[in-house]
Amino acid sequence: MSHETPDRLQPQPPLPIVIVGHVDHGKSTLIGRLLHDTGSLPDGKFEELRRQSDRRGVAFEWSFVMDAFQIERDQGITVDTSRIWFTSEHRDYVIIDAPGHKEFLKNMVTGAAGADAAILVIDAVQGVSEQTRRHAYLLSLLGVAQIVVTVNKMDLVGYSRQRFEAVAAEIRGYLANLDVVPETVIPIVARDGDNLTGAEAGEATAMPWWQGPSLVEALDGFRPRPALLDQPLRLPVQDIYRHGDSRIVVGRVESGRLRVGDSVSFSPGQQVARVQSIRSWGSPEHVSAAAGQAVALTLDDEIFVERGHIAAPPESPPQQDNVLQVRLFWLDEVPLEAGDRLIMKLATGRHTVFVQSLDRVIDIEDLKSGLADRVAQNGVAQVTLRSQSKVAFDPHDAIAATGRAVLVRNHRIVGGCVVEAAAQAAASRNLTSVPQTVSGEERALANGHRGGVLWLTGLSGSGKSTLAMALQRRLFERGQQVYVLDGDNVRQGLNRDLGFSPVERSENIRRIAEVARLFADSGTLVVTAFISPYREDRDIARDIIADGFREVYVEADLAICEERDPKGLYKRARAGEIADFTGISAPYEEPVSPDLRLDTGSLSVDAALTVLVEEIDRAFMTPRGERRAAG
């Protein structure tokens, strides 16, 4: 039989398709036979492969067409993705062959991430396997909604229509639970070419009952994804170069368009500049650039831009946050647990992230989800990740290129994820801020000072709490509104649910910063005394508190702190009684550019206190407050 091709199927750009399925279900055989039957093999390739098979004394297999590695032919396992051009009468394709073996799942994900459509191959004898379900779920996860299913090896079930319909019903049901409707499910024999091209569909005497389209006809009905040109500009920065006095921003336009004279913002931070020039390698200046082009830009302003930033229109920038809600697939043999530290590579950005929580772990077999304390190899879960630095991203269903990421541990790819939303944004979607009836200016006028935060950081024993409490007394006696947030006090109440792992330390600091911001907004001078060992966490606190934040490094050598050891903690840490103790078994990252540095190894408490009071007077005091303090 033949199927008329719709008028819309005129020559089009190549359509990238991924071919997935369980090991030994016949993907490589399908590709080899498809290339041969459509005349897409290079001249003489088929004859060459036959001669090679004869020399090696093995039977010819169609899988030899694209199994590029000798190890694959010997072991019968495809270990990497391969890209092959394929042409029908109506369209060019880029075939991405993705491995089916679970050990090579990450290559399947890599291939599927770049595909507009997919062929899911199922063995008629084995039926819908666990790996079939996993591949189907990952296609859905990555946004590949155009799927044609082939039930292969129909000859091994006697070309049984009943068996085909049973397998087709099972896979349709599973895909329906993923909100995916396949274009069609087709019975095939890849080895013999049955139902692969239009000529054979329905005419193969072995399956006269099949009246549907051939595989090629089904593929020709697929549409490319919406044009990237129609999406907002996204240009992840690959690198920054200097050429004479010019600074050149290099990257690839992932979506949208860019013209000389356009204003662009770079996230995170949303620093704005205007594009002065656009160049590409070995070419003169361009007036514009579009999705898919690698370009070098010069800007009209020396704003801060670095690798990992994303250029976008100022009116429609990507989101930016430290806490992300993601759907994650885990590939490592070592299970993923809450508190684990990973590297997340999103576009050109590289971010240190901690697993804040495992929110839902999904059973691939029945798609039920529930709570669990770990994600096993090849598992799928909804997870909250906390980054030490702000992450610029788009929800994956909006702009895929800036909404998916690779996860790395110990220099190995251990998983991947798609970003659904900023976790805080998702949680607060139905919340509305309530404005205060007393302004900050009114509070400052009444108190004689503005609200603000002195963030004291340093090793245990450096003198943070001693200085904080002494400063509180001094300011109170001057008639100022002041309160101390001390590490031990906060952990006994607000943060008593947190331990001392890196992710819990980060959450501890975030909560404290939010509380300190509220105190400062009320007009109070807040003095915090926390080790806060990570620079990124202190930077997050600065972002939360904003203009009223002052970082004070209470500096003392480790030897001095151990000698003081007011709580006996160093002695216990040295004895192995306390795990993750800063300075002994956990790191302390010194501030690079603190607002104030106090060397308590050489300064007395009174001398250090004098410096702190001078800083407060300079940063927060109003003229009325200065007169009050002087009087």
Side-chain angles (χ1 to χ4, degrees), residues 289-336:
Q293 289 184 254
V295 295
L297 312 178
T298 59
L299 307 174
D300 70 345
D301 193 3
E302 288 280 331
I303 61 172
F304 174 67
V305 179
E306 64 179 351
R307 176 183 171 88
H309 279 178
I310 297 176
E315 67 276 10
S316 56
Q319 297 182 34
Q320 54 183 34
D321 212 305
N322 296 92
V323 185
L324 307 180
Q325 193 172 72
V326 306
R327 281 186 293 162
L328 169 150
F329 38 92
W330 189 247
L331 305 172
D332 198 25
E333 294 179 358
V334 179
L336 178 72

Side-chain angles (χ1 to χ4, degrees), residues 199-211:
E200 291 85 8
E203 296 178 5
T205 55
M207 290 183 284
W209 45 266
W210 176 249
Q211 298 298 308

Side-chain angles (χ1 to χ4, degrees), residues 120-395:
L120 177 61
V121 183
I122 303 175
D123 186 308
V125 177
Q126 297 184 27
V128 180
S129 68
E130 177 188 358
Q131 281 296 88
T132 303
R133 292 186 176 91
R134 180 168 286 110
H135 288 156
Y137 187 92
L138 291 180
L139 289 173
S140 170
L141 185 68
L142 292 167
V144 183
Q146 297 185 110
I147 298 175
V148 59
V149 179
T150 60
V151 180
N152 190 24
K153 304 184 183 180
M154 286 296 298
D155 56 316
L156 299 184
V157 295
Y159 305 98
S160 167
R161 180 174 185 172
Q162 183 178 6
R163 176 57 181 166
F164 165 73
E165 290 177 347
V167 175
E170 184 177 2
I171 191 59
R172 285 185 186 275
Y174 187 82
L175 290 172
N177 289 330
L178 299 173
D179 294 324
V180 174
V181 178
E183 176 72 16
T184 186
V185 183
I186 304 173
I188 68 169
V189 181
R191 182 197 62 202
D192 301 334
D194 291 353
N195 291 342
L196 296 192
T197 63
E200 291 85 8
E203 296 178 5
T205 55
M207 290 183 284
W209 45 266
W210 176 249
Q211 298 298 308
S214 70
L215 174 59
V216 169
E217 288 171 334
L219 293 177
D220 282 343
F222 285 150
R223 294 178 179 270
R225 291 188 185 186
L228 294 174
L229 292 175
D230 297 332
Q231 295 182 326
L233 170 69
R234 293 294 184 265
L235 192 162
V237 175
Q238 179 70 32
D239 218 331
I240 308 293
Y241 296 105
R242 286 281 183 183
H243 181 69
D245 295 332
S246 298
R247 189 172 59 145
I248 301 172
V249 179
V250 177
R252 170 189 161 95
V253 181
E254 295 293 345
S255 63
R257 304 171 188 268
L258 182 66
R259 296 181 65 87
V260 171
D262 284 353
S263 290
V264 292
S265 70
F266 291 85
S267 298
Q270 292 183 258
Q271 305 87 353
V272 178
R274 194 175 297 277
V275 177
Q276 275 191 329
S277 68
I278 302 174
R279 294 177 180 271
S280 58
W281 182 258
S283 299
E285 290 190 15
H286 301 289
V287 175
S288 64
Q293 289 184 254
V295 295
L297 312 178
T298 59
L299 307 174
D300 70 345
D301 193 3
E302 288 280 331
I303 61 172
F304 174 67
V305 179
E306 64 179 351
R307 176 183 171 88
H309 279 178
I310 297 176
E315 67 276 10
S316 56
Q319 297 182 34
Q320 54 183 34
D321 212 305
N322 296 92
V323 185
L324 307 180
Q325 193 172 72
V326 306
R327 281 186 293 162
L328 169 150
F329 38 92
W330 189 247
L331 305 172
D332 198 25
E333 294 179 358
V334 179
L336 178 72
E337 299 181 352
D340 283 357
R341 180 171 179 160
L342 306 166
I343 300 296
M344 181 174 71
K345 294 183 177 181
L346 190 154
T348 57
R350 180 184 174 93
H351 308 272
T352 299
V353 297
F354 300 94
V355 180
Q356 178 170 303
S357 61
L358 303 178
D359 304 320
R360 292 190 303 126
V361 176
I362 299 162
D363 187 325
I364 294 296
E365 286 290 328
D366 57 15
L367 298 180
K368 292 180 180 179
S369 62
L371 298 177
D373 58 1
R374 59 180 54 194
V375 183
Q377 185 178 27
N378 299 325
V380 179
Q382 186 170 346
V383 174
T384 299
L385 299 178
R386 175 174 295 279
S387 171
Q388 287 191 347
S389 57
K390 281 282 181 70
V391 180
F393 69 94
D394 291 286

